[in-house]
Amino acid sequence: MQEMFNYIIQIMPQMFEGLKITLKLFAVTLVLSLPLGLLISLLRESVEKKETDNFIIKWIVKFPVRLIINIYLWVFRGTPLLLQLFFFYFGLTYIKLPNGTSIVLSMFSAAVISFVLNYSAYFAEIFRGGIIGVNKGQYEASKALGLTGVQTMRYIVVPQMLRTVIPPIANETIVLVKDTALASSIALIDLLKVAQRAVNRDMRVSAYFVAAVFYLAITLVLTFVFNFVERRLSISQKGFR
């Protein structure tokens, strides 16, 4: 037992370096994918067909945008994140630019692009579900008050939608923590990659145990944070009622 403890202390500096990369990838993905997902969901709702739309608005303006969004969601929700990582890190190198050079991304850049595009697609669907869940009477009331479509979304729909999407967003965020381990597949030196190297070098599985503890600690902190946010929103909603 003492020997294992000493070994864990020995590899801790390496594990912390890997943890920094994992946390950085997680934070950048979350900061970029949440607003992008919200923007996509709002844009998708704005280009939905309406009976009052004329031919130009329906087919020239809205249809192409709606088609692009639907294809994006279909591709990034319908293919594995691991495959997307391989495409952006390995696949782009086969694409030749007009000047003859290839597109070469760093491991971290490829991971960020893959994770942001993937999770934005999932967050967009979550936000869209929240928007659809807002009572239609709210839209009618906002029209009666003379609010524009943008004002209705900003002041009426989005605040109510945010209360309902916290639980699914919390679930996706915790999944994101675990999915960051996939970045090790393109040799990014994250927490899991450091653990793998330690195990292969020293033939001891203690590094995997340490990595598991780190992942569990992160998810525990996130669980407490989202539970707190959910309680606060619940209290404010009761007060609003």
Side-chain angles (χ1 to χ4, degrees):
M1 181 64 71
Q2 182 64 36
E3 183 182 356
M4 184 180 72
F5 181 75
N6 291 337
Y7 176 72
I8 291 175
I9 295 298
Q10 178 186 337
I11 65 173
M12 269 302 178
Q14 305 165 45
M15 300 298 292
F16 275 117
E17 288 301 314
L19 178 63
K20 288 179 184 178
I21 299 298
T22 293
L23 291 176
K24 183 178 178 181
L25 177 59
F26 166 76
V28 172
T29 300
L30 197 62
V31 168
L32 295 179
S33 60
L34 276 173
L36 181 58
L38 178 59
L39 179 63
I40 292 170
S41 66
L42 293 175
L43 182 60
R44 188 179 182 186
E45 284 299 305
S46 67
V47 296
E48 286 295 325
K49 291 183 289 187
K50 297 179 181 178
E51 295 180 359
T52 56
D53 292 339
N54 57 39
F55 179 84
I56 294 177
I57 295 296
K58 182 183 292 185
W59 296 107
I60 306 300
V61 178
K62 288 187 175 183
F63 177 75
V65 177
R66 191 166 63 250
L67 180 64
I68 291 171
I69 292 175
N70 287 337
I71 291 175
Y72 160 72
L73 295 175
W74 173 58
V75 170
F76 282 94
R77 294 177 71 240
T79 57
L81 177 55
L82 184 60
L83 181 61
Q84 295 163 24
L85 277 166
F86 288 158
F87 172 77
F88 284 107
Y89 187 61
F90 299 112
L92 288 183
T93 59
Y94 293 95
I95 300 176
K96 298 294 182 181
L97 298 175
N99 59 5
T101 60
S102 301
I103 302 175
V104 180
L105 298 176
S106 68
M107 290 177 287
F108 188 78
S109 297
V112 167
I113 293 173
S114 303
F115 275 81
V116 169
L117 291 177
N118 182 276
Y119 272 84
S120 294
Y122 282 96
F123 284 137
E125 286 298 295
I126 291 173
F127 286 128
R128 181 171 177 265
I131 292 173
I132 293 174
V134 175
N135 194 304
K136 298 300 181 183
Q138 301 288 333
Y139 293 92
E140 297 172 1
S142 64
K143 284 183 180 179
L145 292 172
L147 298 180
T148 63
V150 174
Q151 290 174 326
T152 299
M153 280 291 176
R154 181 179 177 182
Y155 298 112
I156 306 296
V157 177
V158 172
Q160 295 184 59
M161 174 267 292
L162 289 176
R163 293 190 180 98
T164 62
V165 300
I166 290 298
I169 284 179
N171 289 336
E172 282 298 316
T173 303
I174 290 173
V175 171
L176 171 59
V177 173
K178 296 178 288 184
D179 276 353
T180 55
L182 293 174
S184 64
S185 63
I186 58 172
L188 184 67
I189 313 301
D190 67 338
L191 181 59
L192 181 60
K193 193 65 176 181
V194 171
Q196 287 175 330
R197 287 186 171 184
V199 171
N200 293 336
R201 182 188 65 236
D202 305 323
M203 301 301 292
R204 305 180 67 165
V205 297
S206 302
Y208 285 145
F209 172 77
V210 175
V213 171
F214 278 133
Y215 283 118
L216 287 172
I218 297 170
T219 56
L220 181 63
V221 170
L222 289 173
T223 300
F224 277 120
V225 169
F226 279 109
N227 284 342
F228 173 78
V229 172
E230 197 171 349
R231 285 197 302 270
R232 294 290 296 180
L233 288 175
S234 178
I235 292 171
S236 63
Q237 188 175 19
K238 289 178 181 177
F240 176 78
R241 289 175 181 173

